[in-house]
């Protein structure tokens, strides 16, 4: 999902070799021979992935515009750090803007996603 086309909003965040990256700033040549995961790639058939489920449970979206980017940023964070602190969660999503200001819900969803993935109690 493209947002700003300038690497400012994070709505287009995808995982490239498990690292969150802005798709709008990624050249096609950089996508050769790497694994790219989009929000759809987190699902198991029709079942939501852990991060997506946590966002649903914690109402971590309002207009939904930023949600795919936040989901991918949290997924990338949890792949690198299964038990992140709140400061690490804040830093992990700091490149993603939410115009509606749902940050508190996003942070709670990130904690819940860690628990769903087995990283936190």
């Amino acid at each position: 999902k493209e947002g700003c086309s300038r690497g400012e909003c994070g709505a287009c965040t995808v995982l490239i070799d498990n690292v969150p990256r802005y798709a709008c700033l990624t050249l096609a040549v950089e996508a050769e021979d790497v694994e790219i995961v989009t929000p759809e790639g987190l699902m198991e058939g029709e079942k939501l992935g852990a991060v997506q489920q946590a966002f649903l449970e914690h109402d971590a979206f309002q207009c939904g515009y930023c949600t795919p980017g936040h989901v991918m940023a949290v997924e990338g964070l949890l792949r690198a750090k299964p038990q992140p602190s709140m400061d690490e969660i804040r830093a992990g999503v700091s490149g993603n803007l939410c115009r509606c200001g749902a940050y508190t819900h996003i942070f709670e969803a990130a904690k819940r996603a860690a628990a769903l993935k087995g990283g936190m109690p």
Side-chain angles (χ1 to χ4, degrees), residues 93-107:
V93 300
S94 65
N96 296 71
L97 302 178
C98 175
R99 295 173 182 145
C100 301
Y103 293 108
T104 302
H105 296 269
I106 292 166
F107 300 152

Side-chain angles (χ1 to χ4, degrees), residues 48-95:
L48 296 175
V51 176
Q52 294 162 318
Q53 183 63 40
F55 269 63
L56 178 65
E57 289 176 15
H58 285 273
D59 196 26
F61 47 83
Q62 286 184 27
C63 76
Y65 196 81
C66 68
T67 305
H70 272 102
V71 165
M72 298 311 293
V74 170
E75 179 71 27
L77 170 65
L78 296 179
R79 288 184 183 192
K81 181 100 176 149
Q83 298 179 9
S85 68
M86 187 54 74
D87 285 341
E88 290 168 324
I89 291 169
R90 285 185 187 103
V93 300
S94 65

Side-chain angles (χ1 to χ4, degrees), residues 2-58:
E2 189 173 353
C4 66
S5 302
R6 300 187 299 244
E8 293 179 2
C9 74
C12 66
T13 302
V14 296
L15 298 183
I16 298 179
D17 285 340
N18 290 321
V19 177
R21 299 252 322 253
Y22 299 149
C24 72
L25 296 181
T26 303
L27 301 173
V29 69
E30 294 177 276
E32 285 187 43
D33 301 320
V34 297
E35 179 187 23
I36 299 173
V37 179
T38 65
E40 294 80 9
L42 301 180
M43 297 178 69
E44 297 171 21
E46 294 294 315
K47 184 179 180 222
L48 296 175
V51 176
Q52 294 162 318
Q53 183 63 40
F55 269 63
L56 178 65
E57 289 176 15
H58 285 273

